[in-house]
Amino acid sequence: VSNMIAKLAKTCTLRISPDKLNFILCDRLASGGVSTWCELEQENFFSEFQMEGVSAENVIYLELTSENLSRALKTAQNARTLKIKLTNKHFPCLTVSVELQLSVSSSSRIVTHDIPVKIVARKLWKDLQEPSVPEADVSIYLPALKTMKSVVEKMRNISNNLVIEANLKGELNLKIETELVCVTTHFKDLGNPPLASDDAPRDRDPAAMAEVRVDIRKLLQFLSGQQVNPTKALCHIVAGRMVHLDLLHEDVSLQYFIPALSP
C-alpha cells in the first residue's frame, strides 16, 4: 500500500484512528487536482495497536513524504517484527523499527528509520475528510487493470485528453479524438454493480452512454501505481464532472477521484 501511495503523490496525510488507518491525497478537485482516500482496517495489519488522539474524535493527522515511508517499509519485507511509533526527536517523527533475522540462529539486528512528519493542526482537519461523491450516472466494473493500463499508455502518445464512457449494459469505451484521428477501445460484458442507493435514477436508458473527459496522465498515474490486486474494481461516472475509481481488496479500499476537464 505504501508503494502504491508513493507512486500517486510525493506527500500524503496519514489519518490514525483506533480502528482504521487512512492515506489521504487531497489536491483540490475544484482546481483540477486528483483526490485519493485509502482505508486500511488496523486489525488486519497489526497484532498490537495503541493510539490516543487529542480530541473527542480520537484521531491523529500526520503529513509525511510518501517515498520515505515506502522506503522504510521495504526493509521490513522479511522482518521478524515491525514497530511503528510516533516519536519526538527534536522534531516529530514516525519511527519505523525493524527487527531483521540475520541467520538461522537467534541473532537479529534492529534497523530504525526516523521519518520526519508534520502534525496537522485541528483547524485543517475539515479539509481532510472522506470526499463526498455525487450520485453516479453510471457505475461499471473495470476490465483487468493491466490491460487497461496497456491501452491507455498507447493512447497517451496521441492525446493528453481521454473520454471515458460507459452504460448500464456493461459496455465501457475509452476514446481519444484529435483533428487527425479518432481512436476508441471497446470493452463489453463487464457488468454493472447493483444500484448504490434507492435514489439512483432507475429510468435511464441502459444503452445510453454517460461520459467524462479527463487528463489521460492522471488516469495513467493511477493505473501505474497499482500494487494491490483488487477483488473488485469499479468506475463511477458523474457525467461531465468526475470519474470515481473504487478498488476493493480484502484488507484495503482505495478511492481515486479525477475531475473532468472543461469542454
Side-chain angles (χ1 to χ4, degrees), residues 4 144-146 226-233 247-250:
M4 179 173 65
L145 296 183
K146 281 187 178 178
Q226 288 322 300
Q227 306 280 316
V228 298
N229 190 20
T231 49
K232 280 185 186 176
L247 304 189
L248 299 171
H249 186 266
E250 55 193 26

Side-chain angles (χ1 to χ4, degrees), residues 66-81:
S66 309
E67 181 62 32
N68 288 348
L69 180 62
S70 172
R71 198 178 293 127
L73 292 177
K74 275 179 186 171
T75 65
Q77 285 178 335
N78 299 310
R80 182 191 285 178
T81 63

Side-chain angles (χ1 to χ4, degrees), residues 52-152:
E52 189 175 335
V54 295
S55 67
E57 294 177 61
N58 201 17
V59 288
I60 301 170
Y61 286 86
L62 307 173
E63 190 178 293
L64 52 89
T65 301
S66 309
E67 181 62 32
N68 288 348
L69 180 62
S70 172
R71 198 178 293 127
L73 292 177
K74 275 179 186 171
T75 65
Q77 285 178 335
N78 299 310
R80 182 191 285 178
T81 63
L82 166 71
K83 293 180 185 174
I84 303 176
K85 298 183 289 188
L86 183 57
T87 57
N88 189 4
K89 302 189 175 182
H90 305 298
F91 49 84
C93 287
L94 206 58
T95 296
V96 177
S97 182
V98 183
E99 184 184 0
L100 298 172
Q101 183 82 41
L102 290 183
S103 62
V104 182
S105 66
S106 60
S107 60
S108 62
R109 179 179 65 188
I110 302 290
V111 177
T112 301
H113 303 264
D114 291 323
I115 303 167
V117 296
K118 190 160 74 177
I119 309 295
V120 179
R122 289 173 67 175
K123 64 183 178 182
L124 301 176
W125 290 5
K126 64 181 185 300
D127 297 327
L128 296 166
Q129 303 306 307
E130 183 171 2
S132 59
V133 187
E135 193 70 59
D137 293 288
V138 168
S139 295
I140 190 168
Y141 290 108
L142 286 171
L145 296 183
K146 281 187 178 178
T147 303
M148 193 170 169
K149 178 184 170 219
S150 174
V151 168
V152 173

Side-chain angles (χ1 to χ4, degrees), residues 28 35 37-38 125 189 191 234:
R28 282 281 153 268
S35 179
W37 180 270
C38 181
W125 290 5
D189 302 319
L234 287 163

